[in-house]
Amino acid sequence: MTALLTLQGVHTHVGAYHLLHGVDLTVPVGEVTMLLGRNGAGKTSTLRTLMGLWTASAGRVTFKGEDITRLATPDIASRGIAYVPETMGIFGELTVAENLLLAARSAKRLADLDETRLDWLFSLFPALKTFWQHPAGKLSGGQKQMVAIARALVEPRELLVIDEPSKGLAPAIVANLISALRELKATRTTVLLVEQNFRVAAELGDSVAVMDDGRVVHRGAMAELIEDASLQQRLLGLALGAHQ
């Protein structure tokens, strides 16, 4: 296993709040790593810290062997890490096309976007092509999520970090999202994915880390967690099988 991203003993304080308590996490290259845990366990705080939105108060974040712990968010992104926050962060008044253009560092105009890569994104998310010139704010929740993920992929990235992409989406839209992410997984794109929908976790995850109270309390293969109902109950308070 070759690690693309590692967090070692990471602590994060925001004001008076101590959010992360020595997080140890490894994201292997070419795999989908699931980050699971109950609400408030520290999953989003971990993503925000590795992206430099919050600065670790102790510990180390390493990407491709480089210490990125103290880098600013734009510098972290420039290393090839794309972040899709839980809020999606799309620009509602801009078109779908303009949202993707903003994320493409090598393109100044729509005509500069890589047509082959756009065709690939359209194959993953056909709605993007349908609504290409529509304001992104007018789209459904599922379509906005597709824009957010496509924007992160509009140019090749080393690592895709996604926070709860299925949250609030209808089951049919979740199924479409799983299908698209499965195709993305087939390209060996490295993904760190936070999810509360355990169907998504079971379908996509290669490895898993479970958090509780700002710490990683379990690491292993996703398949092992799926098969062990008692472990699911102990770590997450419920069984994955009941949510598939």
Side-chain angles (χ1 to χ4, degrees):
M1 180 185 70
T2 302
L4 183 67
L5 174 80
T6 59
L7 282 72
Q8 299 170 292
V10 171
H11 291 253
T12 298
H13 291 77
V14 176
Y17 298 97
H18 191 178
L19 302 178
L20 300 182
H21 301 264
V23 170
D24 293 310
L25 176 66
T26 298
V27 177
V29 66
E31 293 189 6
V32 176
T33 299
M34 304 302 306
L35 189 59
L36 306 181
R38 298 176 176 89
N39 287 333
K43 304 181 301 296
T44 294
S45 296
T46 297
L47 301 192
R48 292 182 64 86
T49 299
L50 76 86
M51 290 303 304
L53 296 166
W54 292 336
T55 301
S57 50
R60 189 180 187 205
V61 181
T62 306
F63 181 68
K64 295 179 66 178
E66 178 188 5
D67 188 340
I68 63 170
T69 313
R70 305 296 171 189
L71 294 184
T73 300
D75 295 325
I76 293 172
S78 72
R79 265 61 177 177
I81 304 178
Y83 176 46
V84 182
E86 182 182 351
T87 58
M88 294 182 265
I90 65 170
F91 297 94
E93 295 182 0
L94 300 183
T95 66
V96 170
E98 289 166 339
N99 267 272
L100 266 66
L101 179 61
L102 280 177
R105 291 187 176 87
S106 63
K108 297 184 181 300
R109 303 170 302 157
L110 288 175
D112 297 332
L113 292 174
D114 185 323
E115 290 188 12
T116 300
R117 195 160 186 89
L118 279 182
D119 287 341
W120 175 63
L121 289 174
F122 292 154
S123 72
L124 291 178
F125 306 112
L128 293 182
K129 190 170 186 179
T130 302
F131 298 106
W132 188 240
Q133 294 296 343
H134 287 237
K138 301 289 187 181
L139 303 183
S140 70
Q143 291 162 350
K144 289 176 181 175
Q145 189 62 268
M146 293 172 189
V147 172
I149 296 173
R151 189 175 56 185
L153 292 169
V154 69
E155 291 183 334
R157 310 293 192 210
E158 296 273 358
L159 172 65
L160 184 60
V161 178
I162 313 177
D163 195 357
E164 295 202 41
S166 71
K167 185 176 181 179
L169 302 185
I173 301 300
V174 172
N176 291 340
L177 183 64
I178 289 173
S179 179
L181 289 174
R182 191 185 293 117
E183 289 191 40
L184 178 63
K185 177 179 175 177
T187 69
R188 303 293 293 171
T189 299
T190 306
V191 181
L192 176 59
L193 179 59
V194 167
E195 256 302 339
Q196 291 285 9
N197 185 318
F198 298 110
R199 178 188 172 199
V200 177
E203 289 272 1
L204 297 171
D206 294 304
S207 58
V208 61
V210 180
M211 296 193 69
D212 188 35
D213 194 26
R215 299 176 176 85
V216 173
V217 295
H218 172 80
R219 290 180 291 272
M222 188 69 215
E224 293 176 359
L225 182 59
I226 293 169
E227 294 298 323
D228 192 335
S230 63
L231 186 61
Q232 297 163 24
Q233 186 68 38
R234 178 167 63 83
L235 294 173
L236 301 166
L238 40 80
L240 298 184
H243 293 262
Q244 296 184 42

